[in-house]
Amino acid sequence: MARLFSPRPPPSEDLFYETYYSLSQQYPLLLLLLVIVLVGLLALLAVAWASGRELASDPGFLTTMLCGLGGFSLLLSLASREQRLQRWTRPLSGLVWAALLALGLGFLFTGGVVSAWDQVSFFLFVIFTVYAMLPLGMRDAAAAGLASSLSHLLVLGLYLGLQPDSQPALLPQLAANAVLFLCGNVAGAYHKALMERALRATFREALSSLHSRRRLDTEKKHQEHLLLSILPAYLAREMKAEIMARLQAGQGSRPESTNNFHSLYVKRHQGVSVLYADIVGFTRLASECSPKELVLMLNELFGKFDQIAKEHECMRIKILGDCYYCVSGLPLSLPDHAINCVRMGLDMCRAIRKLRAATGVDINMRVGVHSGSVLCGVIGLQKWQYDVWSHDVTLANHMEASGVPGRVHITGATLALLAGAYAVEDAAMEHGDPYLRELGEPTYLVIDPRAEEEDEKGTAGRLLSSLEGPKMRPSLLMTRYLESWGAAKPFAHLSHVESPVSTSTPLPEKALSSFSPQWSLDRSRTPRGLDDELDTGDAKFFQVIEQLNSQKQWKQSEDFNPWTLYFREKEMEKEYRLSALPAFKYYAACTFLVFFSNFIIQMLVTNRPPALTITYSITFLLFFLLLFVCFSEHLTKCVLKGPKMLHWLPTLSVLVATRPGLRVALGTATILLVFSMAITSLVFLPAASNCPFRAPNVSFTASNLSWELPGSLPLISVPYSVHCCVLGFLSCSLFLHMSFELKLLLLLLWLAACCSLFLHSHAWLSDCLIARLYLGALDSRPGVLKEPKLMGAISFFIFFFTLLVLARQNEYYCRLDFLWKKKLRQEQEETETMENLTRLLLENVLPAHVAPQFIGQNRRNEDLYHQSYECVCVLFASVPDFKEFYSESSINHEGLECLRLLNEIIADFDELLSKPKFSGVEKIKTICSTYMAATGLNATSGQDAQQDAEQSCSHLGTMVEFAVALGSKLDVINKHSFNNFRLRVGLNHGPVVAGVIGAQKPQYDIWGNTVNVASRMESTGVLGKIQVTEETACALQSLGYTCYSRGIIKVKGKGQLCTYFLNTDLTRTGPPSATLG
């Protein structure tokens, strides 16, 4: 028992549970136990005084009572201080147990003659409460329970064994006591084991719930960052609501609208400025770069531009190759939007000048700015990219294309908004593009006021190129310089969001290191500064632990009624009462143990009358039938080997576990059986009888009188009937999940029955036993606890209130366990939904094979994602007629209805991607009415080079079929919209570099000569036809497609190229004149 008093610290992993367990469950029970004991002692004094006993005549009893009152009052004052309890839980529990044991031993030897049945009920109370109400571990509780049992048996065995043979047979009584104590230990250990299991499950579910909440918060932050990295906040909320609706309705489904149109997320904004910027000379430089260098260079350049945009309140819209464009005045209107764009353009030119001066690389920046109004938003179903459309956007684009390298080219509209903030000069229009000449409006070049200052500083910044030497490649030199800019990596912000994806339930490390057992979980009592030391996760952890404290059951709660403990939500209350209970069979089995103990006790202390034997035989049969029903599922193998007519028997246990009405009926019947059999031996006796030991001629010399009454009932069976009734009380507490009101009803019924039996109808049996024990002392009266009827009544009331407290506690924790399980399920479902949403969002930004690089347990943001491919087929498909179709007037809401049609076109194109045969097609982006896609991007790097040409480029056929499907989709749209749009397609295949760039709005893109040529194939193509290069035509012919030569055409940037038109008949044969629809 020395372990009981050793305040060893628990392991760190169990520290929170043990502290929580002692505080929330055992701490209030310990206080209530001490209160019950004190009230019981006061009740004993009151009963002794009310019965006319002179307390002064029994100094031993009075001393024991006063010492008990003083000792337990002191223990109550110590236990009422939480901090002291937390530090000395085990020693204090040991003291309470020792005090109870000492009190029981004191009662044994005071108040009258010592008998073998003395204080058995009190020791049974000590044994049961050691398990159920003291904050001890199972081993310590078992040791204390067994020690209590042995102390009673050994003390009485040794003491009575030395007495004259004036007592009835001692051995059967000691055996009955041993059975009672054994039953008390088993019932207590069973109760403690189930409660600890339930409490630990609740605790783990609470931690799992906390873990789920963190994951949920993390996923919400991921979604917010992902959405805001694609879309402005106002648009993100609207689109997120639709995605959630799609997830709830089933992934991939789209809510049907009344007008059969796809949702359009486009709004008109006036008073904005649009900036287009292009890096002059970058194409030649990129051709010299390795894939890693190219992606790094682009990320650093555009990352720097994003920083400049943020400084000047501009929003980057999109990156098109080496073209960068942004808008100021979105989503909120800004009065200085024109000045913001001009400042940004000047800073971009300045950054490129510094780059050129430091590296000697011949690149420059060309910027165009125009002010007006735009339509902004998102079109299509996949690969969302926030974009802007309007004639003003087109004009800004042409302003960049016709601009001067190193200068900011602005229109008159922008100049008017500058209000003299910058000096300008007229732009020479003789070299301008046709679009601007057709408009006939003057344009201007902004004079950078800091350009002269930079020129005066000379070439001091060329140190890097001179130090590195002339042998270094310009691309490598430029990459090294750009690394010094320190642009953020794509999705770098996600690495700062905690993502606890482990399936375990880790405890907060800071809380583990800082939490001490002597601290109360009451945050009002925590040491000053603790809130500052604990992070938000730890604070939430403490809040969750506080919610588990059983003292909360008496306070107002959002979930429970503090008086009835019913759930405030009627549906949840109904669900709780209808929930399955697989453990019911174990309740019934343990109740059978109580019944069997009563049977053994009555067989030991009675003469086993035939009526009692018959009654027990019938009851045993009923119990075995009940146990068979409860455990029938464990007999499945045996039953299935028998007749088919018995194969239904295993389903009985399932019915019992899942049918609440059947459980309540069987549980009530089981308890009533135990109740009835506890008093069966008394039922066969008359309600009143003449006691032979009360006759006037009976003296103390008649020591040979029998201990039996008429009817062959030994007198010693009377107190043991009281003890059997106490076991009946315990049987009611074994049904942990039985409702509190039903337990209260059964306990009240049993209390009334027992008190009526022993204090009224059969009280004469107790008087007769006292008369037999005190034959020669007619004037003396035994103490209160030596009189069976009074001892029994006091025991009944003490057990009644004790078990009532435990029933309330059990009810609370059963409901709390159900509540946390329900919360955990809801949070897990919500977390799963959020994770799916995050996955959908990320895959809407990145290809499915790239997305895992940026999210999940293996997320790595240290390196930029880049991949080189040997054979990728790139498609550009445009609807050139849409430019003529687009107009801005009040009739079409300033172009909004035109964009609605474009949204239908792009959305229908996107729907093709969900078809299995096009699973290898990856949408890259849309550029106004041009659709860009690629195949071959899901192949492993270097894999294509190891395969033969036909096998490595087999995906070209998929792209051709996809192009034809796009044409078919457009035909359907033409039919419904009464238009005559035609598709112009360009295809090319070859090596490309893929990567993710941009920290503010991460964007997946592909670069390389293959992409540039594919774009030229579209722009120089013919409506209704697919134009391909000579190399791609050869590859397609090897796959069975037919191509015919168009001839040699001039391609910008590529010179003279021989191109081919593809025969689009899917039979792969047909006349050369076959065209797209």
Side-chain angles (χ1 to χ4, degrees):
M1 297 301 292
R3 294 176 63 251
L4 196 63
F5 296 92
S6 58
R8 60 176 178 81
S12 59
E13 290 185 2
D14 296 331
L15 172 60
F16 279 105
Y17 172 72
E18 293 191 10
T19 306
Y20 145 75
Y21 180 75
S22 63
L23 279 179
S24 65
Q25 165 70 359
Q26 298 294 345
Y27 171 69
L29 289 180
L30 176 60
L31 293 181
L32 288 171
L33 172 62
L34 295 173
V35 170
I36 289 172
V37 172
L38 286 172
V39 172
L41 292 175
L42 293 174
L44 276 176
L45 288 175
V47 171
W49 177 77
S51 61
R53 290 176 171 82
E54 296 183 4
L55 297 178
S57 63
D58 191 354
F61 175 74
L62 184 60
T63 302
T64 302
M65 292 293 295
L66 293 177
C67 290
L69 285 171
F72 283 100
S73 297
L74 178 62
L75 289 173
L76 181 61
S77 66
L78 291 175
S80 61
R81 301 184 60 183
E82 290 185 32
Q83 291 184 350
R84 188 176 299 276
L85 172 68
Q86 289 178 54
R87 179 177 290 180
W88 303 105
T89 299
R90 295 161 63 84
L92 185 62
S93 304
L95 286 175
V96 173
W97 168 74
L100 287 171
L101 194 62
L103 186 64
L105 292 173
F107 286 153
L108 273 177
F109 295 99
T110 58
V113 178
V114 179
S115 303
W117 45 266
D118 265 348
Q119 307 310 313
V120 172
S121 294
F122 184 83
F123 273 76
L124 194 60
F125 171 77
V126 174
I127 291 168
F128 186 74
T129 53
V130 159
Y131 288 99
M133 302 184 78
L134 289 183
L136 296 172
M138 180 62 80
R139 291 184 180 180
D140 294 337
L146 291 175
S148 303
S149 307
L150 291 175
S151 63
H152 186 278
L153 294 172
L154 290 176
V155 168
L156 284 184
L158 292 174
Y159 181 80
L160 295 177
L162 300 176
Q163 300 296 319
D165 192 18
S166 59
Q167 295 270 353
L170 179 62
L171 191 58
Q173 293 183 78
L174 291 179
N177 292 350
V179 172
L180 277 163
F181 295 150
L182 179 62
C183 181
N185 275 282
V186 173
Y190 167 83
H191 185 280
K192 187 178 187 67
L194 286 185
M195 282 306 300
E196 279 197 342
R197 181 180 178 183
L199 286 168
R200 190 174 287 275
T202 304
F203 184 73
R204 287 176 177 170
E205 284 156 9
L207 290 184
S208 298
S209 178
L210 176 65
H211 178 66
S212 294
R213 289 180 190 176
R214 288 186 171 183
R215 287 184 60 193
L216 187 58
D217 292 342
T218 300
E219 292 303 327
K220 287 180 179 178
K221 290 177 182 177
H222 281 170
Q223 291 164 27
E224 183 180 357
H225 284 299
L226 282 170
L227 273 173
L228 295 180
S229 70
I230 313 168
L231 312 167
Y234 80 93
L235 192 59
R237 288 190 296 268
E238 188 177 351
M239 300 191 73
K240 181 179 178 180
E242 180 174 334
I243 298 176
M244 292 294 291
R246 287 168 55 190
L247 281 175
Q248 292 172 0
Q251 289 189 19
S253 66
R254 178 172 57 88
E256 293 292 336
S257 66
T258 56
N259 56 9
N260 294 324
F261 280 112
H262 296 86
S263 300
L264 179 65
Y265 302 99
V266 175
K267 292 185 178 180
R268 184 171 182 82
H269 282 267
Q270 295 181 340
V272 300
S273 292
V274 184
L275 178 147
Y276 269 83
D278 188 67
I279 305 174
V280 181
F282 184 80
T283 303
R284 180 179 54 81
L285 180 66
S287 63
E288 304 173 0
C289 296
S290 66
K292 183 176 182 179
E293 289 173 352
L294 176 61
V295 175
L296 176 61
M297 189 185 306
L298 287 169
N299 187 72
E300 295 291 340
L301 277 171
F302 294 133
K304 180 67 173 178
F305 296 162
D306 286 343
Q307 293 173 9
I308 297 173
K310 186 176 181 181
E311 292 172 3
H312 297 297
E313 296 182 286
C314 295
M315 176 193 291
R316 188 246 287 175
I317 300 299
K318 196 179 289 187
I319 298 170
L320 301 175
D322 57 355
C323 179
Y324 182 102
Y325 67 100
C326 64
V327 177
S328 181
L330 286 180
L332 300 176
S333 298
L334 297 172
D336 299 330
H337 57 85
I339 295 178
N340 291 339
C341 276
V342 171
R343 285 177 179 170
M344 179 176 174
L346 293 175
D347 283 350
M348 294 172 79
C349 293
R350 192 174 299 117
I352 294 297
R353 279 201 300 271
K354 290 181 180 179
L355 174 63
R356 185 174 64 248
T359 62
V361 178
D362 186 19
I363 63 171
N364 215 327
M365 178 62 73
R366 192 171 57 220
V367 179
V369 178
H370 174 59
S371 302
S373 60
V374 297
L375 291 166
C376 58
V378 173
I379 62 173
L381 302 178
Q382 295 193 19
K383 296 297 185 295
W384 292 328
Q385 289 183 354
Y386 191 67
D387 210 342
V388 290
W389 303 267
S390 72
H391 290 317
D392 291 323
V393 174
T394 305
L395 178 54
N397 189 5
H398 284 277
M399 289 296 292
E400 175 272 314
S402 63
V404 178
R407 303 294 297 273
V408 177
H409 192 198
I410 65 174
T411 61
T414 304
L415 178 62
L417 294 172
L418 292 181
Y422 288 94
V424 298
E425 60 184 7
D426 290 337
M429 290 303 299
E430 59 271 14
H431 300 295
D433 71 3
Y435 186 86
L436 294 180
R437 281 202 304 269
E438 185 178 348
L439 289 178
E441 294 184 3
T443 59
Y444 308 91
L445 296 174
V446 178
I447 299 174
D448 190 350
R450 289 180 288 182
E452 296 180 1
E453 298 176 6
E454 293 177 2
D455 292 340
E456 291 176 358
K457 294 180 181 179
T459 57
R462 296 178 180 255
L463 295 175
L464 181 63
S465 58
S466 60
L467 289 174
E468 298 291 350
K471 294 183 179 180
M472 181 170 291
R473 287 186 292 110
S475 58
L476 182 57
L477 189 63
M478 184 171 169
T479 303
R480 290 196 178 183
Y481 177 78
L482 289 174
E483 285 179 339
S484 65
W485 285 2
K489 303 294 192 296
F491 300 103
H493 54 281
L494 295 186
S495 63
H496 299 296
V497 181
E498 182 185 2
S499 179
V501 293
S502 174
T503 55
S504 62
T505 310
L507 297 177
E509 294 183 3
K510 188 180 294 185
L512 276 174
S513 62
S514 60
F515 189 78
S516 177
Q518 66 266 22
W519 293 354
S520 168
L521 290 182
D522 185 356
R523 297 306 298 270
S524 63
R525 300 188 181 187
T526 52
R528 181 174 294 179
L530 177 62
D531 287 331
D532 296 333
E533 294 176 11
L534 297 177
D535 59 14
T536 305
D538 297 327
K540 289 182 179 179
F541 175 80
F542 280 105
Q543 291 172 7
V544 169
I545 298 303
E546 269 294 283
Q547 293 176 25
L548 300 178
N549 196 315
S550 65
Q551 299 172 63
K552 296 287 185 181
Q553 63 181 291
W554 302 105
K555 301 178 182 179
Q556 287 296 330
S557 168
E558 296 179 359
D559 303 307
F560 301 105
N561 183 302
W563 296 105
T564 63
L565 291 181
Y566 288 180
F567 291 112
R568 295 191 184 276
E569 295 182 13
K570 292 183 179 180
E571 287 299 322
M572 186 178 293
E573 179 68 25
K574 181 179 179 181
E575 185 179 350
Y576 170 74
R577 291 185 179 274
L578 294 178
S579 59
L581 184 61
F584 179 83
K585 54 179 174 288
Y586 303 114
Y587 300 164
C590 197
T591 309
F592 175 75
L593 174 65
V594 175
F595 165 77
F596 189 66
S597 300
N598 279 342
F599 168 74
I600 294 176
I601 292 166
Q602 295 197 26
M603 292 299 104
L604 287 172
V605 298
T606 64
N607 291 333
R608 296 173 290 280
L612 184 66
T613 305
I614 294 172
T615 305
Y616 264 107
S617 299
I618 296 173
T619 312
F620 263 108
L621 182 63
L622 293 176
F623 253 108
F624 284 138
L625 182 61
L626 172 67
L627 292 177
F628 176 79
V629 169
C630 292
F631 287 90
S632 59
E633 64 176 342
H634 298 282
L635 306 174
T636 304
K637 292 183 179 179
C638 299
V639 172
L640 292 179
K641 293 179 180 178
K644 289 186 177 181
M645 61 183 300
L646 299 178
H647 287 184
W648 58 272
L649 289 175
T651 61
L652 290 176
S653 60
V654 179
L655 289 176
V656 172
T658 56
R659 298 291 178 87
L662 184 59
R663 285 202 308 268
V664 170
L666 288 177
T668 305
T670 304
I671 294 172
L672 291 177
L673 276 179
V674 176
F675 285 174
S676 59
M677 296 311 297
I679 56 175
T680 300
S681 59
L682 301 179
V683 172
F684 297 108
L685 289 175
S689 179
N690 294 324
C691 180
F693 309 115
R694 288 184 174 182
N697 58 348
V698 177
S699 66
F700 66 94
T701 56
S703 58
N704 58 348
L705 288 175
S706 171
W707 281 85
E708 295 185 3
L709 290 172
S712 301
L713 177 68
L715 280 174
I716 59 169
S717 67
V718 176
Y720 282 99
S721 294
V722 172
H723 303 328
C724 288
C725 289
V726 170
L727 287 184
F729 278 97
L730 289 183
S731 68
C732 195
S733 71
L734 297 177
F735 288 83
L736 262 64
H737 278 75
M738 181 177 284
S739 64
F740 174 75
E741 54 268 30
L742 182 56
K743 283 185 182 178
L744 175 61
L745 180 63
L746 290 172
L747 287 173
L748 279 173
L749 175 68
W750 189 231
L751 178 66
C754 292
C755 289
S756 174
L757 189 69
F758 288 100
L759 293 179
H760 180 65
S761 62
H762 289 73
W764 67 273
L765 292 173
S766 175
D767 297 335
C768 191
L769 177 60
I770 295 302
R772 175 65 183 84
L773 285 173
Y774 296 90
L775 284 173
L778 295 176
D779 296 332
S780 65
R781 295 179 65 187
V784 175
L785 293 178
K786 297 292 184 177
E787 194 168 346
K789 62 180 181 181
L790 294 180
M791 173 204 71
I794 293 172
S795 299
F796 297 154
F797 274 95
I798 289 177
F799 270 93
F800 172 78
F801 286 110
T802 301
L803 295 178
L804 210 58
V805 167
L806 288 174
R808 166 85 183 197
Q809 194 83 350
N810 295 345
E811 175 85 356
Y812 176 70
Y813 272 101
C814 289
R815 290 177 174 273
L816 191 65
D817 180 62
F818 174 81
L819 177 64
W820 280 104
K821 284 180 178 177
K822 187 174 180 64
K823 285 184 177 180
L824 181 59
R825 286 196 304 269
Q826 291 174 346
E827 287 168 357
Q828 286 175 340
E829 290 172 1
E830 190 176 355
T831 302
E832 184 178 355
T833 301
M834 291 297 174
E835 287 175 344
N836 289 336
L837 179 55
T838 302
R839 177 180 53 80
L840 285 177
L841 288 173
L842 193 59
E843 290 182 359
N844 213 355
V845 182
L846 305 174
H849 66 282
V850 179
Q853 302 289 332
F854 294 92
I855 198 167
Q857 192 170 4
N858 299 319
R859 186 195 308 128
R860 294 184 177 90
N861 292 319
E862 295 82 2
D863 297 324
L864 289 166
Y865 173 80
H866 60 88
Q867 190 82 2
S868 59
Y869 298 90
E870 292 299 321
C871 182
V872 170
C873 185
V874 183
L875 169 143
F876 281 85
S878 71
V879 186
D881 297 334
F882 183 79
K883 292 182 180 179
E884 298 178 5
F885 172 79
Y886 179 82
S887 63
E888 296 177 3
S889 65
S890 58
I891 298 177
N892 62 17
H893 299 92
E894 302 299 329
L896 184 62
E897 296 307 317
C898 297
L899 279 185
R900 189 181 303 278
L901 181 58
L902 179 61
N903 182 57
E904 291 301 308
I905 295 172
I906 301 301
D908 284 358
F909 288 176
D910 287 343
E911 287 179 345
L912 290 172
L913 299 173
S914 61
K915 293 187 176 182
K917 66 177 180 178
F918 297 136
S919 60
V921 180
E922 190 68 45
K923 178 184 177 182
I924 305 299
K925 67 180 77 168
T926 56
I927 310 157
C928 192
S929 61
T930 301
Y931 195 92
M932 178 183 176
T935 57
L937 292 174
N938 53 359
T940 307
S941 178
Q943 179 180 351
D944 296 330
Q946 300 172 6
Q947 302 173 344
D948 56 54
E950 181 177 354
Q951 191 174 5
S952 66
C953 296
S954 58
H955 55 81
L956 269 67
T958 303
M959 184 59 87
V960 170
E961 295 184 14
F962 181 71
V964 174
L966 293 179
S968 301
K969 278 285 185 183
L970 191 58
D971 286 341
V972 175
I973 293 172
N974 284 334
K975 181 179 179 181
H976 289 90
S977 63
F978 305 104
N979 284 296
N980 191 27
F981 294 131
R982 288 190 294 174
L983 206 61
R984 188 174 68 196
V985 180
L987 283 182
N988 189 30
H989 81 287
V992 300
V993 174
V996 180
I997 61 171
Q1000 298 298 323
K1001 289 186 177 179
Q1003 179 177 320
Y1004 178 83
D1005 210 342
I1006 56 177
W1007 304 272
N1009 186 61
T1010 302
V1011 179
N1012 297 334
V1013 173
S1015 175
R1016 300 303 181 196
M1017 289 296 99
E1018 180 274 321
S1019 61
T1020 61
V1022 176
L1023 289 175
K1025 295 183 181 295
I1026 301 176
Q1027 182 172 231
V1028 299
T1029 60
E1030 187 174 4
E1031 294 79 5
T1032 303
C1034 294
L1036 289 173
Q1037 287 174 349
S1038 67
L1039 295 175
Y1041 291 94
T1042 58
C1043 301
Y1044 58 96
S1045 176
R1046 179 188 182 184
I1048 297 177
I1049 63 171
K1050 183 179 180 181
V1051 178
K1052 182 182 176 181
K1054 304 300 174 184
Q1056 303 293 322
L1057 288 182
C1058 180
T1059 63
Y1060 289 76
F1061 287 134
L1062 178 67
N1063 176 12
T1064 57
D1065 188 356
L1066 291 183
T1067 59
R1068 301 189 182 184
T1069 60
S1073 60
T1075 61
L1076 282 171

